Amino acid sequence: MLSVEGLQIRYMLTTSSEKTESSYISSREITIALAGNPNAGKSVVFNQLTGGNQIIGNWPGKTVERTEGWVRYRGRRIRIVDLPGIYSLSTYTEEELIAREFIISGTPDVIINVIDASLLERSLFLTLQLLEMERPVLLAVNQLDVAESKGLRTDINTLSKLLGVPAVGIIATKGTGLNKLLTTAIELAEKKERIIPPAYGGEIEQSILELTRLLDGIYQEYPTRWLAIKIIEKDEWLKNLDIPKSILTRAEEIREEIERTHKEPIEVIVSSERYALASRIARSSQYYEKRKKSFLQNLDLVLLHPILGYVSMVLFLFVAFVSLFKIGAIGSSFLEELFSHLDPIIKSISIPETLKNLLWDGVLNGFISGVTIALPYILPFYIFLSFLENSGYLARIAFLTDSIMHKLGLHGKGAIPIIMGYGCNVPAILGTRILESKRERIIASFLSMLIPCSARTVVILGLVGIFLGIKWALVIYILDLIVIYIVGLFMNRYYPGETPGLIMEVPDLRVPVLKPTLRQSWFRIKEFLYVALPYIILGSVLLEIIKLLGWFNAINRILSPIIVNWLGLPPITGIVLIFGLLRKELTLILLSTFSGTTDFSLILNPRQMFIFSFFVTLYIPCLATIASLRKELGRFIAFILVFLEILLSLLLAGILNHLWMYIAS
Amino acid sequence: MIRPLSTLKVGEKGKIVRLIGGTGMIKRLSDLGFVPEQEVEVVRSAPRGPIAIRVKGTIYALGRGVADKIYVDDIQ
Ligand SMILES: Nc1nc2c(ncn2[C@@H]2O[C@H](COP(=O)(O)OP(=O)(O)OP(=O)(O)O)[C@@H](O)[C@H]2O)c(=O)[nH]1
Ligand SMILES: [Mg+2]
């Protein structure tokens, strides 16, 4: 009864003066954890409360890390912790383990259990498990708008009464109810009331009661009822405790008896019992009015169709690709035109000659190239990505590609991080945490590394797309997919292990809510402006310095056997490719600053353009990607994967180059 | 008639009678609501590919191998 002792001490300290008590309470830091099913809207709540930029989207398993943020409320600091989504407190994947760990051992003052009101019964399963732990739980009944549109009306008061904890109805995307949520959470943290979990039914409840009596008074730090349930469930976690033999034997007897009557394994019986209660509570607190099938539900049947589904997927991706290219090309030429008028004006300012080289050729040209070459492609791409994420289409792609993914040693869920790789490889590698085994994570990480991220897209579209035509850019993307497929086949074959079956929620399709979706794109673009642009400018300046020092030719000479003889590229690309280690779009941008033009046809012939872009697509992950590989999979595996990728890119690009030259001659 | 979920056609419904397979998978499925007596409906089924099942208002994608291990009976 540690917490009660703590309370008493606090009481004694503060009775001497009223003033200290109130100031003590109001200055205490409160930790609020956001827990709930995947896709319930925890991260939207987090972003709204803290102004954070957690990735949100309409598929299960976006948040894969514990993330903390702060909010000030009436002058006090409140720590908010966003957790990965979980369906139950039993865990299967790494990201779920993170959530469970924090709920069990992180001792938050309040757990805000965010639930999707349109999936009430399923959500309450986890709620009941949280209540079993007798933690201060506050129910945030989210997505009331979605529930409403499905014809579901929720009676929050009844829900709160039946569960025995406070509940607040919210619409996170609109910010509705969040103020009340926060005040209620703070009140709850202050009160420290005891939670009385609702009773289950049948033999399970009786067994819980019997074991609770036997366990009474043995353990102080854990709720007795919770321990009793864990013992019945034979939970792994119990290994941490030294439970009296007599109790364990009695539990074994009880368990066997229950299993005999139900003819099911105990974990299924316990789950059934929790669901029976969840279902009773849901039925008493929600009313359903039948609605016609919505347009999106009908569309969904097409998108998941065994034939039409694939046709629409290919069509959709093709249209997206072409429009992104077109928008990018128009934006790029517009900006170029704009800067061509500005350039002479700025350059007419008189400053010393050497500085001029550094400033104008380095900083200014770097900035201009970065903005004109990269931004026009990246901007629409990020907006597109956010809409894709929030519509729910990603989960459909995962469903459709399950069979193909199995050939690569993955299942459908593996497609999600790989597709995220088109945005950026770093979150893709982090995102592999949603996969069940280490083997799958390694395979999926390697395949994501081979996906052209937005930076490489800039190179492919800006070089091959503009100068050789969009068809050739498409060839690179398709070639890349073929490479990925073959690499996957090899990995599946030569890396022993089994692929678990797919079990994944496919959330309803939705029209993305505009504001949070645009906000998400804005955060990514901001990152490009604040992180990439400085790199680009730095890279340009460094290149100028290298030129001024006269090292330029020496470096290119060292690299020439690979760059010139094997890959058939002009010598200057060597140094540019080294800078590409920082960020991939640097390769093209530095090529432009170096040659003083954005007309790449002056320095590269068509073959060289194609080989250069293809090589940049594959040759080595950027530093940020290498760092996340190392963090997620360890130094050794990171090293092997990077080494393999370099080898693969050299091999393929070189062969392609020689093949092209042979055919052309 | 008791048969694996994977043999149901699109639009067919059934009532779960039992789950077979490893403890991990059984627990995962039962946590998601695949428990005995539960009604399920096949929403989509690709030949030899995964199937989409509606359970308690949610659609889940299940690999064929997983759906083979869930046995269902007709609904009376
Ligand atoms: N219409 C509507 N959409 C919502 C609401 N709350 C969340 N969403 C959407 O639901 C999706 C999931 O929200 P997230 O906040 O990413 O979910 P999460 O609980 O963090 O999910 P994981 O990180 O995967 O566990 C997003 O597309 C949100 O825009 C809501 O109140 N109304
Ligand atoms: Mg989240």
Side-chain angles (χ1 to χ4, degrees):
Chain A
M1 294 281 125
L2 239 157
S3 57
V4 171
E5 249 167 48
L7 270 179
Q8 279 169 343
I9 291 167
R10 196 180 308 155
Y11 182 72
M12 290 193 312
L13 276 176
T14 49
T15 38
S16 53
S17 122
E18 287 277 339
K19 227 173 152 198
T20 22
E21 182 183 297
S22 64
S23 70
Y24 175 82
I25 287 185
S26 65
S27 65
R28 190 173 65 95
E29 203 176 275
I30 294 179
T31 299
I32 298 176
L34 296 168
N37 288 172
N39 231 29
K42 301 174 293 299
S43 298
V44 178
V45 173
F46 179 87
N47 287 353
Q48 293 272 19
L49 291 179
T50 65
N53 54 352
Q54 284 286 80
I55 290 193
I56 56 164
N58 189 16
W59 81 89
K62 298 151 300 266
T63 308
V64 292
E65 272 181 310
R66 197 179 93 199
T67 311
E68 300 185 0
W70 299 91
V71 56
R72 266 198 179 281
Y73 188 81
R74 302 224 175 112
R76 66 196 281 187
R77 259 156 73 87
I78 294 159
R79 184 164 76 123
I80 313 259
V81 183
D82 188 20
L83 295 172
I86 45 176
Y87 293 106
S88 103
L89 286 176
S90 330
T91 52
Y92 309 90
T93 61
E94 201 162 324
E95 112 267 17
E96 292 176 332
L97 196 68
I98 294 168
R100 176 190 154 124
E101 270 306 303
F102 192 76
I103 293 167
I104 295 187
S105 332
T107 56
D109 294 292
V110 174
I111 298 172
I112 294 187
N113 177 202
V114 182
I115 66 169
D116 178 347
S118 72
L119 298 171
L120 187 57
E121 184 184 339
R122 204 228 16 227
S123 315
L124 290 179
F125 184 86
L126 178 69
T127 309
L128 290 175
Q129 285 191 324
L130 294 173
L131 294 179
E132 281 167 16
M133 294 174 67
E134 294 171 30
R135 286 295 177 72
V137 170
L138 165 59
L139 203 65
V141 187
N142 188 27
Q143 314 216 15
L144 287 175
D145 56 335
V146 178
E148 188 80 25
S149 73
K150 282 188 182 170
L152 291 162
R153 274 222 333 277
T154 318
D155 177 353
I156 311 263
N157 280 334
T158 308
L159 193 57
S160 158
K161 276 205 201 87
L162 292 173
L163 289 165
V165 293
V168 179
I170 63 171
I171 301 173
T173 39
K174 290 189 192 135
T176 316
L178 292 180
N179 246 326
K180 187 166 174 215
L181 187 71
L182 198 58
T183 32
T184 316
I186 294 168
E187 272 168 30
L188 193 64
E190 228 79 290
K191 272 197 292 200
K192 292 208 176 285
E193 253 173 27
R194 231 200 100 150
I195 300 271
I196 300 167
Y200 296 116
E203 302 97 316
I204 293 289
E205 183 62 32
Q206 277 164 24
S207 325
I208 295 172
L209 291 177
E210 182 183 341
L211 286 178
T212 309
R213 273 194 300 277
L214 293 177
L215 285 162
D216 194 32
I218 302 185
Y219 298 97
Q220 308 293 317
E221 15 352 352
Y222 306 102
T224 330
R225 185 181 159 87
W226 182 64
L227 280 181
I229 297 172
K230 293 290 115 182
I231 293 174
I232 293 171
E233 282 186 307
K234 253 168 77 184
D235 196 289
E236 289 279 302
W237 183 86
L238 289 176
K239 282 194 200 117
N240 304 333
L241 292 185
D242 199 16
I243 295 166
K245 201 70 185 255
S246 61
I247 297 182
L248 287 180
T249 351
R250 179 65 196 132
E252 191 63 45
E253 283 167 25
I254 294 175
R255 199 181 306 124
E256 270 170 16
E257 202 182 306
I258 298 177
E259 287 188 334
R260 227 182 357 257
T261 40
H262 286 259
K263 300 194 185 59
E264 300 284 348
I266 191 75
E267 50 280 358
V268 175
I269 303 168
V270 175
S271 287
S272 294
E273 208 52 64
R274 287 199 188 103
Y275 265 117
L277 181 58
S279 167
R280 276 203 299 280
I281 296 175
R283 264 183 285 127
S284 329
S285 52
Q286 204 168 47
Y287 310 97
Y288 178 60
E289 210 175 276
K290 198 150 178 64
R291 293 279 163 102
K292 273 208 316 245
K293 248 196 191 152
S294 69
F295 167 72
L296 287 178
Q297 278 170 321
N298 286 320
L299 177 67
D300 205 13
L301 291 181
V302 176
L303 296 182
L304 292 172
H305 190 273
I307 297 160
L308 295 179
Y310 294 99
V311 176
S312 37
M313 179 169 82
V314 171
L315 210 68
F316 171 73
L317 294 177
F318 180 76
V319 169
F321 175 78
V322 174
S323 14
L324 286 176
F325 172 70
K326 289 272 192 272
I327 297 172
I330 292 170
S332 190
S333 65
F334 170 77
L335 285 175
E336 208 174 309
E337 178 77 22
L338 189 75
F339 278 117
S340 71
H341 293 305
L342 286 180
D343 209 35
I345 304 172
I346 303 172
K347 284 194 178 155
S348 63
I349 303 167
S350 64
I351 45 164
E353 223 17 66
T354 37
L355 251 184
K356 206 167 183 167
N357 271 340
L358 276 185
L359 275 183
W360 285 171
D361 292 348
V363 179
L364 193 68
N365 282 347
F367 175 79
I368 291 179
S369 308
V371 170
T372 55
I373 298 177
L375 206 56
Y377 293 103
I378 285 180
L379 188 89
F381 184 76
Y382 280 165
I383 294 176
F384 168 74
L385 197 68
S386 294
F387 274 91
L388 185 69
E389 284 168 340
N390 283 287
S391 65
Y393 194 52
L394 274 182
R396 271 81 197 161
I397 296 183
F399 176 80
L400 292 172
T401 53
D402 185 54
S403 303
I404 303 172
M405 285 300 175
H406 268 282
K407 298 208 173 85
L408 314 184
L410 300 170
H411 55 58
K413 247 199 302 186
I416 290 179
I418 293 178
I419 291 169
M420 294 297 292
Y422 281 102
C424 173
N425 288 181
V426 174
I429 288 166
L430 240 64
T432 61
R433 287 188 185 175
I434 63 173
L435 300 173
E436 285 86 356
S437 66
K438 179 95 187 229
R439 173 176 183 267
E440 286 176 284
R441 290 199 64 193
I442 291 175
I443 296 179
S445 298
F446 192 58
L447 299 186
S448 326
M449 278 158 61
L450 299 175
I451 292 277
C453 60
S454 57
R456 285 173 266 180
T457 299
V458 167
V459 178
I460 299 172
L461 295 185
L463 187 60
V464 173
I466 296 278
F467 292 93
L468 302 182
I470 183 167
K471 274 188 223 119
W472 289 97
L474 197 58
V475 169
I476 292 196
Y477 280 93
I478 292 171
L479 218 54
D480 180 68
L481 285 178
I482 296 173
V483 171
I484 288 172
Y485 184 71
I486 294 172
V487 168
L489 286 182
F490 266 94
M491 286 187 91
N492 187 27
R493 174 116 188 230
Y494 294 106
Y495 182 2
E498 250 177 77
T499 312
L502 171 71
I503 304 177
M504 182 191 69
E505 180 183 350
V506 182
D508 289 343
L509 277 182
R510 309 202 149 137
V511 180
V513 185
L514 198 64
K515 224 173 105 189
T517 312
L518 287 181
R519 189 167 173 268
Q520 182 148 323
S521 328
W522 168 239
F523 270 113
R524 290 194 172 125
I525 290 157
K526 222 162 78 178
E527 177 149 307
F528 172 79
L529 294 177
Y530 291 172
V531 179
L533 219 49
Y535 264 138
I536 291 170
I537 293 170
L538 185 78
S540 308
V541 172
L542 276 180
L543 197 64
E544 280 310 313
I545 293 175
I546 289 174
K547 244 192 325 197
L548 286 178
L549 291 176
W551 293 351
F552 201 68
N553 288 331
I555 295 177
N556 284 335
R557 216 172 304 123
I558 298 171
L559 292 174
S560 94
I562 297 175
I563 300 296
V564 179
N565 301 352
W566 177 239
L567 297 175
L569 297 172
I572 47 153
T573 54
I575 199 157
V576 163
L577 285 168
I578 292 181
F579 277 106
L581 195 63
L582 290 176
R583 298 208 32 127
K584 294 291 182 77
E585 66 267 75
L586 262 182
T587 53
L588 190 64
I589 288 162
L590 291 187
L591 209 57
S592 144
T593 40
F594 173 78
S595 55
T597 172
T598 48
D599 184 358
F600 294 107
S601 62
L602 298 176
I603 41 174
L604 300 170
N605 66 30
R607 171 179 50 80
Q608 290 172 326
M609 287 180 185
F610 189 88
I611 299 294
F612 181 76
S613 302
F614 182 73
F615 186 63
V616 167
T617 303
L618 295 179
Y619 77 116
I620 190 173
C622 68
L623 286 182
T625 308
I626 296 177
S628 61
L629 266 182
R630 205 184 121 171
K631 181 171 146 241
E632 293 298 304
L633 301 173
R635 196 182 305 187
F636 177 68
I637 289 172
F639 175 79
I640 302 246
L641 293 186
V642 171
F643 180 76
L644 280 178
E645 192 180 13
I646 295 175
L647 212 64
L648 182 76
S649 62
L650 279 175
L651 193 75
L652 293 177
I655 291 175
L656 210 59
N657 170 48
H658 285 274
L659 214 63
W660 190 314
M661 287 202 289
Y662 176 78
I663 293 171
S665 66
Chain B
M1 188 184 54
I2 295 181
R3 60 219 155 117
L5 180 57
S6 52
T7 60
L8 261 59
K9 295 196 184 59
V10 172
E12 268 189 288
K13 289 184 183 174
K15 195 178 72 182
I16 296 180
V17 284
R18 81 157 9 95
L19 312 169
I20 58 170
T23 321
M25 198 177 80
I26 289 185
K27 194 146 176 35
R28 177 74 162 181
L29 286 170
S30 62
D31 282 352
L32 291 175
F34 292 81
V35 289
E37 297 294 304
Q38 173 66 44
E39 206 180 291
V40 297
E41 180 193 345
V42 177
V43 178
R44 273 284 171 237
S45 175
R48 273 174 292 136
I51 66 177
I53 307 288
R54 194 194 318 275
V55 180
K56 296 183 194 294
T58 316
I59 296 178
Y60 295 96
L62 299 183
R64 191 124 298 246
V66 179
D68 282 339
K69 296 192 172 116
I70 300 171
Y71 282 82
V72 295
D73 199 355
D74 305 324
I75 298 172
Q76 269 80 45

